Amino acid sequence: MSDTTAWVAGFRSAVISPYELVKLSESRTFADQTVRQVLHLAGGGEQLRVRLTNLYGRDPLVIGAAHVALRKTGNEIITETDTVLRFDGADQVTIPAGGAVISDPVGLAVAAGTDLTLSLYLPEQTEPATRSHEPSEIAYVADGNVAAQPDLGAAEEVPARFYVTGVDVLAPANTPVAVALGDSWFEGVGSTMSANRRSVDALNDRLDRGWVVNQGIGGNRLLTNEIGAPGLDRLSRDVLSVPGVTSLLINFGINDLILGGMSGEAPATTEELIAGFTEIARRAHDAGLTIHAATIGPYAGCVYPGMPIEQTLPTRREVNEWLRSTDVFDTVFDVARAVQDPQRPDFILPAYDSGDGMHLNDAGHHAMAATVDVAALFR
């Protein structure tokens, strides 16, 4: 690294505990298996390093081998790019319970939009894995240590990520990085699997300077635990600690209003949400970041049972009116108006609806990205 380059986040993946009571997918364990994962890079550089985690582990996690490579297609890698990851010079590492490690730098140049593969061999029986549960991407699981194998063949396909929180890249100094902190509307639920059509991907397509890394968690709330730590609590871990971060985008609210219905919790009130939004803006500004907030999207067509839809819609409208008029954020991007049905504003426009009434399809994610003021993002 020289004065003209710096380590910045090129990819991020926010993780949740496998022990939460509210689950949108089942937890997973491994034993004598290789997990090959596709990491779609928001930004590139002349070198990279990988961040692994055992954040929610209760026992040490043994990584028997780790490799990175550029992806060819599916689970197949470009063989000549296959590179062993080392940790303080060793090609194996044990991550303590609750801990994390960063690999040694790898001299593999990568560009924005690259699909990097991370192959982890897990030799011992693991407990339920720390994971990203709805990343709109496939992990490939095969028996034995096949981390260096060019093609895993008919490997098991799992729509999740495990034990990885990010990739840093050695990029030109002063490269601006924004973090998208929020729920499924950032993580990408409803978009085409393995096609990189999340709202954050579409936003990156609009940028000619810097990039946005994705810290969305499907089901995440601003104020309350499960699914994932609250957005207010994640600010330090998932935003302020991200190397190179200059800006923050947030998308919260739907789950604060209705997800608690799965476990008998009361919906957040207008006052509670406004206080939470105001506090996260204050903390971001205190850290020197600009912060850009989304309005709360429509969800009246939600098909999932047990959700308090009708009783919370007035709160959504009240909070959105506050968001549109407040000056606590640097900008507000009006996702709600962009994707709503003009005839029924509490519903997603059918052309943007993934089919469940509360998540966006590819076109909806694109429309969401188009609402962000990119000129203000990195000013």
Side-chain angles (χ1 to χ4, degrees):
M1 186 170 69
S2 69
D3 292 341
T4 61
T5 58
W7 286 107
V8 300
F11 169 83
R12 283 299 182 269
S13 191
V15 295
I16 64 171
S17 168
Y19 299 107
E20 292 185 343
L21 298 179
V22 178
K23 293 184 179 181
L24 303 185
S25 62
E26 286 305 308
S27 304
R28 178 65 189 255
T29 63
F30 302 94
D32 187 24
Q33 291 172 303
T34 297
V35 184
R36 178 165 289 172
Q37 309 184 68
V38 179
L39 314 180
H40 185 70
L41 300 182
E46 59 193 53
Q47 296 182 43
L48 63 86
R49 62 190 188 191
V50 177
R51 293 175 178 261
L52 303 180
T53 185
N54 191 24
L55 178 62
Y56 294 108
R58 298 172 179 176
D59 299 315
L61 173 69
V62 177
I63 307 292
H67 287 239
V68 290
L70 303 185
R71 180 165 77 149
K72 186 174 183 180
T73 184
N75 67 45
E76 187 177 359
I77 64 172
I78 299 174
T79 308
E80 57 269 28
T81 68
D82 181 55
T83 308
V84 174
L85 283 184
R86 292 187 167 83
F87 305 85
D88 289 331
D91 56 12
Q92 300 183 3
V93 68
T94 298
I95 309 175
V101 295
I102 305 175
S103 76
D104 300 342
V106 170
L108 178 63
V110 289
T114 295
D115 279 348
L116 185 74
T117 65
L118 169 67
S119 301
L120 301 176
Y121 172 53
L122 306 168
E124 301 181 3
Q125 176 66 56
T126 74
E127 58 189 333
T130 296
R131 62 187 175 138
S132 304
H133 69 149
E134 293 192 322
S136 297
E137 187 54 86
I138 296 295
Y140 302 92
V141 182
D143 292 336
N145 183 1
V146 290
Q149 189 164 302
D151 187 341
L152 300 186
E156 179 187 0
E157 298 186 0
V158 183
R161 291 194 197 102
F162 305 96
Y163 303 124
V164 57
T165 57
V167 177
D168 298 340
V169 293
L170 192 60
N174 301 317
T175 297
V177 175
V179 175
L181 182 76
D183 56 26
S184 56
W185 287 41
F186 277 157
E187 190 173 21
V189 177
S191 66
T192 300
M193 185 70 67
S194 301
N196 302 310
R197 294 176 183 167
R198 313 164 191 87
S199 61
V200 177
D201 299 320
L203 177 55
N204 275 322
D205 289 341
R206 298 183 57 210
L207 299 177
D208 56 13
R209 172 174 168 259
W211 53 77
V212 184
V213 293
N214 195 338
Q215 295 279 39
I217 295 177
N220 198 220
R221 291 182 265 186
L222 177 65
L223 306 174
T224 311
N225 271 309
E226 298 197 1
I227 296 166
L232 280 167
D233 290 355
R234 289 211 287 138
L235 183 68
S236 177
R237 182 188 78 198
D238 290 347
V239 180
L240 302 185
S241 66
V242 171
V245 63
T246 60
S247 309
L248 170 62
L249 301 104
I250 60 169
N251 185 90
F252 288 105
I254 292 180
N255 297 308
D256 291 270
L257 293 172
I258 66 174
L259 188 71
M262 296 179 67
S263 52
E265 299 171 65
T269 66
T270 299
E271 294 73 22
E272 287 168 340
L273 279 170
I274 289 175
F277 279 126
T278 302
E279 176 64 10
I280 200 169
R282 183 191 67 78
R283 294 184 195 173
H285 283 144
D286 285 351
L289 307 183
T290 64
I291 179 168
H292 312 269
T295 50
I296 303 172
Y299 57 82
C302 175
V303 301
Y304 304 112
M307 303 290 191
I309 305 300
E310 288 299 323
Q311 75 184 79
T312 58
L313 290 175
T315 304
R316 182 184 88 92
R317 297 182 202 119
E318 291 168 1
V319 175
N320 278 349
E321 287 310 305
W322 174 80
L323 284 165
R324 292 174 181 127
S325 62
T326 185
D327 61 359
V328 305
F329 300 104
D330 292 87
T331 66
V332 172
F333 50 110
D334 202 343
V335 175
R337 282 187 177 147
V339 303
Q340 71 188 20
D341 185 336
Q343 305 304 314
R344 303 181 304 163
D346 290 321
F347 290 77
I348 298 173
L349 188 72
Y352 292 155
D353 192 340
S354 69
D356 67 1
M358 68 175 295
H359 292 108
L360 303 174
N361 61 15
D362 291 353
H365 279 276
H366 189 272
M368 179 177 179
T371 65
V372 177
D373 181 354
V374 295
L377 193 58
F378 295 135
R379 64 187 175 199

